[in-house]
Amino acid sequence: RSQSSRGPNTFASWLQGTLLRNGPGIFSVGDTTYNHWFDGMALMHSFTFKDGEVIYRSRYLRGDTYKDNMAAKRIVVSEMGTMAYPDPGKNVISRVITFLNHTVPDFTDNCGNNFIRYGKDYYATSETNYIRKVDPVTLETQDKVDYMKYLAVNLVTSHPHYDKDGTAYNMGTSIAEKGKTKYTLFKVPDTTAGGKANASPALKNLEVICTVPCRSLLSPSYYHSFGMTDNYFIFIEQPFKLDILKMATAYMRGVNWASCLKFFPEENTLIHLIDRKTGKEVGIKYYTEAMIVYHHVNAFEEDGHVIFDVIAYEDPSLYNMFYLNVLKEQSKTSAMSVPKCKRFALPVQTDKGIDVGDDMVKLQYTTASAVKEKEGKLLCQPEVLCDSVELPRINYDFNGKKYRFVYMTCVAMTAVATKIMKLDIETKERTEWSEENCWPSEPVFIPRPNGEGEDDGVVLTTVINSNPGESGFILVLDAKSFKEVARAYMNAELHMDMHGYFIPMEN
């Protein structure tokens, strides 16, 4: 489906390019239904801005998961929140084979979380070892790519970082590989520079930067993103863990894999600071209290400190909010711990003359602290910048640099956003956009070419609209004032989605 639409006044004439968005789209096949919103089969959307018009397309990701489910007319591929069982009519032998296949799970290629660029190629991605190449113009599903062919990783994040030169950085978990469980940071050089490097996929040129051993062999930490500055990576090893043995037996116990994720509130959260040049961890042991982080906001270096901002939760209730039976109720009472935007400051140098109990953070503009303890550990306490926010996006030209503005969704009592906002981190001023009966998606910032200042640009968000007789629309806000510039209504039903990626016209 595609169509074009004009706003009340034309879009900023410089806004030329395509916003890709990804999220779950199909929740039932035949008489079987997914239990969890994240499990739904991926639906990709594109919004192409050209000469004051926007063209919308959407397509299902036609991966093996989609094909197998559709061919069987029932859900046959298990997802994190939904374990699929064979049709009771199947014979015993095929049931035994299905059972054996599940003891060592071959994960889904239903890549419904985000888009990643490696070299000149774009991929739909979730967090398994499979990503799916897609044509960013037609949204056609192309090759299935297995990270395992290039690196032994069972899980990989859907939030890589990119350098100015197009190099992508990402990290994944190797589970019990050669008797070790470890986290691996790797980079994929850009291949658009021509020459023999132009091989596709760019993953052929993947280089491992470093590995971090997991603190327990059979229960690696879950993580969804990581931080990067000019000289460091920040990896949060949180006490939110995958129990590998439980995962291996989940199928026969009749439970989903998500039930094998366990939070240990009495354990600390370790913060690993890794030197990008040497690939080694900084010698200081940083830790903080138990928390769960899905999204890093940004990180930067100043005066011998690494400062990083994350969205943190006190418990794992967020995942439970997205079970479909909970979402249907849309009840204001369901208990979700409030997500807080927290700033941490890590002193990189420790002076010898510092006593136990001293706060080593020497920055004027943050109340974040790092107190020296026995054995030279540092207990890091954050500053809370604001709360009830999620899906943070920044002007990516400021990624890894000191920055001032972040754009987020506002999640008050339910998991579904009712507003988006701009936060000025220096003044703590919040500017919001909302409209009656409208649910906006993650706000994506697009900088004006040769713009002046960090917030010179626009913010794009897709909006689900439940006002009678009205359709969903894409909204363009001026990032400075956070006022509406234009909107385009879609003559198609928009779905709630996860993350977006903007491709400027010249790419």
Side-chain angles (χ1 to χ4, degrees), residues 222-272:
Y222 173 78
Y223 54 97
H224 183 78
S225 60
F226 61 100
M228 183 173 95
T229 68
D230 288 345
N231 297 296
Y232 299 99
F233 294 110
I234 299 116
F235 166 52
I236 297 173
E237 191 175 9
Q238 49 198 10
F240 188 34
K241 305 178 189 182
L242 277 167
D243 186 320
I244 301 307
L245 293 179
K246 279 193 170 155
M247 283 188 83
T249 59
Y251 182 78
M252 66 179 181
R253 289 186 294 121
V255 298
N256 63 14
W257 287 319
S259 69
C260 310
L261 259 174
K262 194 161 174 356
F263 181 53
F264 297 89
E266 67 290 346
E267 285 187 21
N268 293 325
T269 300
L270 306 184
I271 302 168
H272 299 275

Short mmCIF file of all heavy atoms in Angstrom, two decimals, residues 222-272:
data_model
loop_
_atom_site.label_atom_id
_atom_site.label_comp_id
_atom_site.label_asym_id
_atom_site.label_seq_id
_atom_site.Cartn_x
_atom_site.Cartn_y
_atom_site.Cartn_z
N TYR A 222 20.85 -9.77 30.37
CA TYR A 222 20.12 -9.25 29.22
C TYR A 222 20.48 -7.77 29.07
O TYR A 222 20.59 -7.04 30.05
CB TYR A 222 18.60 -9.39 29.43
CG TYR A 222 17.83 -8.70 28.32
CD1 TYR A 222 17.70 -9.30 27.08
CD2 TYR A 222 17.30 -7.43 28.50
CE1 TYR A 222 17.04 -8.66 26.04
CE2 TYR A 222 16.64 -6.78 27.47
CZ TYR A 222 16.52 -7.40 26.24
OH TYR A 222 15.89 -6.75 25.21
N TYR A 223 20.67 -7.33 27.83
CA TYR A 223 20.88 -5.90 27.57
C TYR A 223 20.32 -5.62 26.18
O TYR A 223 20.25 -6.50 25.33
CB TYR A 223 22.36 -5.51 27.66
CG TYR A 223 23.25 -6.36 26.78
CD1 TYR A 223 23.64 -5.91 25.52
CD2 TYR A 223 23.67 -7.63 27.18
CE1 TYR A 223 24.42 -6.70 24.69
CE2 TYR A 223 24.45 -8.42 26.35
CZ TYR A 223 24.81 -7.95 25.10
OH TYR A 223 25.58 -8.74 24.27
N HIS A 224 19.92 -4.37 25.96
CA HIS A 224 19.22 -4.01 24.73
C HIS A 224 19.99 -2.94 23.95
O HIS A 224 19.73 -2.69 22.79
CB HIS A 224 17.82 -3.50 25.14
CG HIS A 224 16.90 -3.14 24.01
ND1 HIS A 224 16.21 -4.08 23.27
CD2 HIS A 224 16.54 -1.93 23.50
CE1 HIS A 224 15.47 -3.47 22.36
NE2 HIS A 224 15.65 -2.16 22.48
N SER A 225 20.95 -2.29 24.64
CA SER A 225 21.76 -1.24 24.00
C SER A 225 23.01 -1.02 24.84
O SER A 225 23.16 -1.60 25.91
CB SER A 225 20.95 0.06 23.86
OG SER A 225 20.55 0.54 25.12
N PHE A 226 23.90 -0.15 24.36
CA PHE A 226 25.13 0.16 25.09
C PHE A 226 25.52 1.59 24.76
O PHE A 226 24.88 2.23 23.91
CB PHE A 226 26.25 -0.84 24.74
CG PHE A 226 26.63 -0.83 23.28
CD1 PHE A 226 27.76 -0.15 22.83
CD2 PHE A 226 25.86 -1.50 22.33
CE1 PHE A 226 28.10 -0.13 21.48
CE2 PHE A 226 26.20 -1.49 20.98
CZ PHE A 226 27.32 -0.80 20.55
N GLY A 227 26.53 2.11 25.44
CA GLY A 227 26.92 3.51 25.23
C GLY A 227 28.27 3.61 24.54
O GLY A 227 29.10 2.70 24.63
N MET A 228 28.50 4.72 23.85
CA MET A 228 29.77 4.93 23.15
C MET A 228 30.15 6.40 23.17
O MET A 228 29.31 7.26 22.95
CB MET A 228 29.65 4.43 21.70
CG MET A 228 30.93 4.53 20.90
SD MET A 228 30.79 3.75 19.24
CE MET A 228 30.39 5.17 18.23
N THR A 229 31.43 6.68 23.48
CA THR A 229 31.98 8.03 23.36
C THR A 229 33.17 7.95 22.40
O THR A 229 33.44 6.89 21.83
CB THR A 229 32.46 8.58 24.72
OG1 THR A 229 33.61 7.82 25.14
CG2 THR A 229 31.37 8.47 25.78
N ASP A 230 33.91 9.05 22.24
CA ASP A 230 35.06 9.02 21.33
C ASP A 230 36.07 7.95 21.72
O ASP A 230 36.69 7.33 20.87
CB ASP A 230 35.75 10.39 21.31
CG ASP A 230 34.91 11.44 20.59
OD1 ASP A 230 33.97 11.04 19.88
OD2 ASP A 230 35.18 12.64 20.73
N ASN A 231 36.25 7.74 23.03
CA ASN A 231 37.31 6.84 23.49
C ASN A 231 36.84 5.60 24.24
O ASN A 231 37.66 4.74 24.55
CB ASN A 231 38.28 7.61 24.40
CG ASN A 231 38.97 8.74 23.66
OD1 ASN A 231 39.72 8.49 22.73
ND2 ASN A 231 38.66 9.99 24.02
N TYR A 232 35.55 5.53 24.56
CA TYR A 232 35.09 4.43 25.43
C TYR A 232 33.79 3.80 24.94
O TYR A 232 32.99 4.45 24.26
CB TYR A 232 34.85 4.94 26.86
CG TYR A 232 36.08 5.49 27.52
CD1 TYR A 232 36.31 6.87 27.55
CD2 TYR A 232 37.02 4.65 28.11
CE1 TYR A 232 37.46 7.38 28.15
CE2 TYR A 232 38.16 5.15 28.71
CZ TYR A 232 38.39 6.52 28.72
OH TYR A 232 39.52 7.03 29.31
N PHE A 233 33.59 2.55 25.36
CA PHE A 233 32.27 1.91 25.32
C PHE A 233 31.79 1.77 26.76
O PHE A 233 32.60 1.51 27.66
CB PHE A 233 32.33 0.51 24.71
CG PHE A 233 32.71 0.50 23.26
CD1 PHE A 233 33.95 0.00 22.85
CD2 PHE A 233 31.83 0.97 22.28
CE1 PHE A 233 34.30 -0.02 21.51
CE2 PHE A 233 32.18 0.94 20.94
CZ PHE A 233 33.42 0.45 20.55
N ILE A 234 30.48 1.89 26.97
CA ILE A 234 29.89 1.67 28.29
C ILE A 234 28.94 0.49 28.17
O ILE A 234 27.99 0.53 27.38
CB ILE A 234 29.10 2.90 28.78
CG1 ILE A 234 30.03 4.11 28.88
CG2 ILE A 234 28.46 2.63 30.13
CD1 ILE A 234 29.68 5.22 27.94
N PHE A 235 29.21 -0.56 28.94
CA PHE A 235 28.34 -1.74 28.93
C PHE A 235 27.84 -1.97 30.35
O PHE A 235 28.62 -2.09 31.29
CB PHE A 235 29.09 -2.96 28.41
CG PHE A 235 28.38 -4.27 28.69
CD1 PHE A 235 27.04 -4.45 28.34
CD2 PHE A 235 29.03 -5.32 29.34
CE1 PHE A 235 26.37 -5.63 28.61
CE2 PHE A 235 28.37 -6.51 29.61
CZ PHE A 235 27.05 -6.66 29.25
N ILE A 236 26.51 -2.04 30.51
CA ILE A 236 25.89 -2.24 31.82
C ILE A 236 25.53 -3.71 31.96
O ILE A 236 24.69 -4.22 31.22
CB ILE A 236 24.64 -1.35 31.94
CG1 ILE A 236 25.05 0.12 31.86
CG2 ILE A 236 23.91 -1.64 33.24
CD1 ILE A 236 23.88 1.07 31.82
N GLU A 237 26.20 -4.40 32.89
CA GLU A 237 25.91 -5.81 33.15
C GLU A 237 24.94 -5.84 34.33
O GLU A 237 25.32 -5.71 35.48
CB GLU A 237 27.19 -6.58 33.46
CG GLU A 237 26.98 -8.09 33.47
CD GLU A 237 28.27 -8.90 33.65
OE1 GLU A 237 29.33 -8.32 33.94
OE2 GLU A 237 28.19 -10.14 33.52
N GLN A 238 23.66 -5.97 34.00
CA GLN A 238 22.62 -5.80 35.01
C GLN A 238 22.18 -7.15 35.58
O GLN A 238 22.30 -8.17 34.90
CB GLN A 238 21.44 -5.02 34.44
CG GLN A 238 20.94 -5.54 33.10
CD GLN A 238 20.08 -4.52 32.36
OE1 GLN A 238 19.99 -3.35 32.72
NE2 GLN A 238 19.44 -4.97 31.30
N PRO A 239 21.63 -7.15 36.78
CA PRO A 239 21.19 -8.42 37.37
C PRO A 239 19.82 -8.87 36.84
O PRO A 239 18.94 -9.27 37.57
CB PRO A 239 21.14 -8.11 38.87
CG PRO A 239 20.91 -6.64 38.94
CD PRO A 239 21.52 -6.02 37.72
N PHE A 240 19.68 -8.77 35.52
CA PHE A 240 18.49 -9.21 34.80
C PHE A 240 19.02 -10.24 33.82
O PHE A 240 19.68 -9.89 32.84
CB PHE A 240 17.88 -8.01 34.08
CG PHE A 240 16.54 -8.26 33.44
CD1 PHE A 240 15.62 -9.12 34.00
CD2 PHE A 240 16.18 -7.58 32.28
CE1 PHE A 240 14.36 -9.32 33.42
CE2 PHE A 240 14.93 -7.76 31.69
CZ PHE A 240 14.04 -8.64 32.26
N LYS A 241 18.81 -11.53 34.12
CA LYS A 241 19.60 -12.57 33.47
C LYS A 241 18.76 -13.62 32.78
O LYS A 241 17.65 -13.94 33.20
CB LYS A 241 20.49 -13.26 34.50
CG LYS A 241 21.37 -12.30 35.29
CD LYS A 241 22.16 -13.06 36.32
CE LYS A 241 22.89 -12.12 37.27
NZ LYS A 241 23.69 -12.88 38.23
N LEU A 242 19.35 -14.18 31.72
CA LEU A 242 18.75 -15.31 31.01
C LEU A 242 19.28 -16.59 31.64
O LEU A 242 20.49 -16.79 31.70
CB LEU A 242 19.21 -15.28 29.54
CG LEU A 242 18.44 -14.38 28.59
CD1 LEU A 242 19.22 -14.24 27.29
CD2 LEU A 242 17.06 -14.93 28.30
N ASP A 243 18.39 -17.44 32.09
CA ASP A 243 18.81 -18.73 32.66
C ASP A 243 18.85 -19.75 31.52
O ASP A 243 17.81 -20.22 31.06
CB ASP A 243 17.83 -19.15 33.76
CG ASP A 243 18.30 -20.39 34.49
OD1 ASP A 243 18.83 -21.31 33.82
OD2 ASP A 243 18.11 -20.47 35.72
N ILE A 244 20.06 -20.08 31.08
CA ILE A 244 20.23 -20.91 29.88
C ILE A 244 19.66 -22.32 30.09
O ILE A 244 19.03 -22.89 29.19
CB ILE A 244 21.72 -20.98 29.47
CG1 ILE A 244 22.25 -19.56 29.21
CG2 ILE A 244 21.91 -21.84 28.24
CD1 ILE A 244 21.44 -18.75 28.22
N LEU A 245 19.88 -22.89 31.27
CA LEU A 245 19.36 -24.24 31.52
C LEU A 245 17.84 -24.25 31.48
O LEU A 245 17.21 -25.15 30.94
CB LEU A 245 19.87 -24.78 32.85
CG LEU A 245 21.39 -25.05 32.89
CD1 LEU A 245 21.80 -25.55 34.26
CD2 LEU A 245 21.78 -26.08 31.82
N LYS A 246 17.25 -23.21 32.08
CA LYS A 246 15.79 -23.12 32.06
C LYS A 246 15.28 -22.95 30.62
O LYS A 246 14.24 -23.49 30.26
CB LYS A 246 15.31 -21.94 32.92
CG LYS A 246 15.27 -22.27 34.40
CD LYS A 246 14.51 -21.20 35.15
CE LYS A 246 14.26 -21.64 36.59
NZ LYS A 246 14.08 -20.48 37.47
N MET A 247 16.03 -22.18 29.82
CA MET A 247 15.61 -21.99 28.42
C MET A 247 15.61 -23.32 27.68
O MET A 247 14.74 -23.60 26.87
CB MET A 247 16.53 -20.99 27.71
CG MET A 247 16.23 -19.55 28.08
SD MET A 247 17.14 -18.36 27.08
CE MET A 247 16.12 -18.26 25.61
N ALA A 248 16.61 -24.16 27.99
CA ALA A 248 16.73 -25.46 27.30
C ALA A 248 15.55 -26.37 27.63
O ALA A 248 15.17 -27.21 26.83
CB ALA A 248 18.05 -26.12 27.66
N THR A 249 14.97 -26.20 28.81
CA THR A 249 13.87 -27.09 29.22
C THR A 249 12.50 -26.41 29.13
O THR A 249 11.49 -27.01 29.48
CB THR A 249 14.08 -27.57 30.67
OG1 THR A 249 14.13 -26.42 31.53
CG2 THR A 249 15.37 -28.36 30.80
N ALA A 250 12.46 -25.15 28.68
CA ALA A 250 11.20 -24.39 28.67
C ALA A 250 10.13 -25.08 27.84
O ALA A 250 8.96 -25.16 28.25
CB ALA A 250 11.45 -22.98 28.14
N TYR A 251 10.53 -25.59 26.70
CA TYR A 251 9.56 -26.19 25.78
C TYR A 251 8.84 -27.36 26.45
O TYR A 251 7.62 -27.45 26.43
CB TYR A 251 10.28 -26.64 24.51
CG TYR A 251 9.37 -27.22 23.46
CD1 TYR A 251 8.59 -26.40 22.66
CD2 TYR A 251 9.30 -28.60 23.26
CE1 TYR A 251 7.76 -26.93 21.68
CE2 TYR A 251 8.48 -29.14 22.28
CZ TYR A 251 7.71 -28.29 21.49
OH TYR A 251 6.89 -28.82 20.53
N MET A 252 9.62 -28.26 27.08
CA MET A 252 8.96 -29.43 27.68
C MET A 252 8.23 -29.06 28.97
O MET A 252 7.31 -29.75 29.38
CB MET A 252 9.94 -30.58 27.90
CG MET A 252 11.02 -30.34 28.90
SD MET A 252 12.02 -31.83 29.01
CE MET A 252 13.20 -31.34 30.25
N ARG A 253 8.63 -27.94 29.59
CA ARG A 253 7.91 -27.51 30.80
C ARG A 253 6.66 -26.71 30.44
O ARG A 253 5.89 -26.32 31.31
CB ARG A 253 8.82 -26.66 31.69
CG ARG A 253 9.92 -27.48 32.37
CD ARG A 253 10.73 -26.67 33.38
NE ARG A 253 11.50 -25.62 32.73
CZ ARG A 253 11.37 -24.31 33.00
NH1 ARG A 253 10.49 -23.91 33.90
NH2 ARG A 253 12.12 -23.42 32.38
N GLY A 254 6.48 -26.43 29.14
CA GLY A 254 5.26 -25.73 28.71
C GLY A 254 5.24 -24.26 29.09
O GLY A 254 4.18 -23.69 29.31
N VAL A 255 6.43 -23.64 29.18
CA VAL A 255 6.47 -22.20 29.50
C VAL A 255 7.22 -21.47 28.39
O VAL A 255 7.93 -22.09 27.58
CB VAL A 255 7.18 -21.95 30.86
CG1 VAL A 255 6.42 -22.62 31.99
CG2 VAL A 255 8.63 -22.43 30.82
N ASN A 256 7.09 -20.15 28.34
CA ASN A 256 7.80 -19.39 27.31
C ASN A 256 9.22 -19.03 27.77
O ASN A 256 9.55 -19.14 28.95
CB ASN A 256 7.01 -18.14 26.90
CG ASN A 256 6.83 -17.15 28.03
OD1 ASN A 256 7.50 -17.23 29.07
ND2 ASN A 256 5.95 -16.19 27.85
N TRP A 257 10.05 -18.62 26.81
CA TRP A 257 11.44 -18.27 27.15
C TRP A 257 11.51 -17.04 28.05
O TRP A 257 12.42 -16.90 28.85
CB TRP A 257 12.25 -18.04 25.87
CG TRP A 257 12.56 -19.32 25.14
CD1 TRP A 257 12.93 -20.51 25.71
CD2 TRP A 257 12.52 -19.53 23.73
NE1 TRP A 257 13.12 -21.45 24.72
CE2 TRP A 257 12.88 -20.89 23.50
CE3 TRP A 257 12.22 -18.72 22.64
CZ2 TRP A 257 12.95 -21.43 22.22
CZ3 TRP A 257 12.29 -19.27 21.36
CH2 TRP A 257 12.65 -20.61 21.16
N ALA A 258 10.54 -16.14 27.91
CA ALA A 258 10.57 -14.93 28.74
C ALA A 258 10.54 -15.28 30.22
O ALA A 258 11.08 -14.56 31.06
CB ALA A 258 9.39 -14.02 28.39
N SER A 259 9.90 -16.43 30.56
CA SER A 259 9.85 -16.82 31.97
C SER A 259 11.23 -17.25 32.48
O SER A 259 11.42 -17.46 33.67
CB SER A 259 8.85 -17.97 32.16
OG SER A 259 9.37 -19.15 31.55
N CYS A 260 12.20 -17.39 31.57
CA CYS A 260 13.56 -17.77 31.95
C CYS A 260 14.45 -16.54 32.17
O CYS A 260 15.64 -16.66 32.40
CB CYS A 260 14.18 -18.66 30.89
SG CYS A 260 13.12 -20.04 30.43
N LEU A 261 13.84 -15.36 32.04
CA LEU A 261 14.54 -14.11 32.36
C LEU A 261 14.25 -13.81 33.81
O LEU A 261 13.09 -13.71 34.20
CB LEU A 261 13.98 -12.97 31.51
CG LEU A 261 14.74 -12.50 30.29
CD1 LEU A 261 13.91 -11.46 29.55
CD2 LEU A 261 16.10 -11.92 30.62
N LYS A 262 15.31 -13.63 34.62
CA LYS A 262 15.05 -13.42 36.04
C LYS A 262 15.81 -12.20 36.53
O LYS A 262 16.96 -11.98 36.16
CB LYS A 262 15.45 -14.66 36.84
CG LYS A 262 14.93 -14.68 38.27
CD LYS A 262 14.94 -16.09 38.83
CE LYS A 262 14.59 -16.26 40.28
NZ LYS A 262 14.33 -15.19 41.15
N PHE A 263 15.12 -11.42 37.37
CA PHE A 263 15.74 -10.23 37.96
C PHE A 263 16.17 -10.55 39.38
O PHE A 263 15.43 -11.18 40.13
CB PHE A 263 14.71 -9.09 37.95
CG PHE A 263 15.23 -7.79 38.49
CD1 PHE A 263 16.40 -7.23 38.01
CD2 PHE A 263 14.52 -7.10 39.48
CE1 PHE A 263 16.87 -6.01 38.50
CE2 PHE A 263 14.98 -5.90 39.97
CZ PHE A 263 16.15 -5.35 39.49
N PHE A 264 17.39 -10.14 39.73
CA PHE A 264 17.94 -10.38 41.08
C PHE A 264 18.15 -9.03 41.77
O PHE A 264 19.23 -8.45 41.70
CB PHE A 264 19.27 -11.15 40.97
CG PHE A 264 19.12 -12.51 40.36
CD1 PHE A 264 19.21 -12.68 38.98
CD2 PHE A 264 18.86 -13.62 41.15
CE1 PHE A 264 19.06 -13.94 38.40
CE2 PHE A 264 18.71 -14.88 40.58
CZ PHE A 264 18.80 -15.04 39.21
N PRO A 265 17.09 -8.53 42.44
CA PRO A 265 17.16 -7.17 42.99
C PRO A 265 18.22 -7.00 44.07
O PRO A 265 18.65 -5.87 44.34
CB PRO A 265 15.75 -6.94 43.56
CG PRO A 265 15.12 -8.27 43.67
CD PRO A 265 15.78 -9.17 42.67
N GLU A 266 18.67 -8.12 44.66
CA GLU A 266 19.65 -7.99 45.74
C GLU A 266 21.09 -7.89 45.18
O GLU A 266 22.02 -7.60 45.92
CB GLU A 266 19.54 -9.18 46.72
CG GLU A 266 19.93 -10.55 46.17
CD GLU A 266 18.96 -11.13 45.12
OE1 GLU A 266 17.82 -10.63 44.98
OE2 GLU A 266 19.37 -12.09 44.44
N GLU A 267 21.25 -8.10 43.87
CA GLU A 267 22.59 -8.02 43.28
C GLU A 267 22.88 -6.62 42.76
O GLU A 267 21.97 -5.86 42.43
CB GLU A 267 22.72 -9.01 42.12
CG GLU A 267 22.86 -10.44 42.55
CD GLU A 267 23.16 -11.36 41.36
OE1 GLU A 267 23.64 -10.89 40.31
OE2 GLU A 267 22.90 -12.57 41.50
N ASN A 268 24.17 -6.31 42.62
CA ASN A 268 24.56 -5.03 42.06
C ASN A 268 24.52 -5.07 40.53
O ASN A 268 24.53 -6.13 39.93
CB ASN A 268 25.99 -4.68 42.48
CG ASN A 268 26.07 -4.42 43.97
OD1 ASN A 268 25.13 -3.88 44.55
ND2 ASN A 268 27.17 -4.81 44.59
N THR A 269 24.52 -3.88 39.97
CA THR A 269 24.68 -3.71 38.53
C THR A 269 26.13 -3.29 38.27
O THR A 269 26.60 -2.33 38.88
CB THR A 269 23.74 -2.59 38.03
OG1 THR A 269 22.38 -2.98 38.33
CG2 THR A 269 23.88 -2.36 36.54
N LEU A 270 26.83 -4.03 37.44
CA LEU A 270 28.21 -3.68 37.13
C LEU A 270 28.24 -2.77 35.90
O LEU A 270 27.49 -2.97 34.95
CB LEU A 270 29.04 -4.93 36.83
CG LEU A 270 29.03 -6.04 37.87
CD1 LEU A 270 29.99 -7.16 37.46
CD2 LEU A 270 29.43 -5.50 39.24
N ILE A 271 29.11 -1.76 35.95
CA ILE A 271 29.26 -0.85 34.81
C ILE A 271 30.67 -1.07 34.25
O ILE A 271 31.66 -0.83 34.94
CB ILE A 271 29.06 0.62 35.23
CG1 ILE A 271 27.67 0.79 35.86
CG2 ILE A 271 29.23 1.53 34.02
CD1 ILE A 271 27.47 2.12 36.57
N HIS A 272 30.74 -1.57 33.02
CA HIS A 272 32.04 -1.82 32.39
C HIS A 272 32.39 -0.64 31.49
O HIS A 272 31.61 -0.27 30.61
CB HIS A 272 31.99 -3.09 31.54
CG HIS A 272 31.66 -4.33 32.31
ND1 HIS A 272 32.60 -5.06 32.97
CD2 HIS A 272 30.47 -4.95 32.53
CE1 HIS A 272 32.03 -6.11 33.56
NE2 HIS A 272 30.73 -6.05 33.32
#
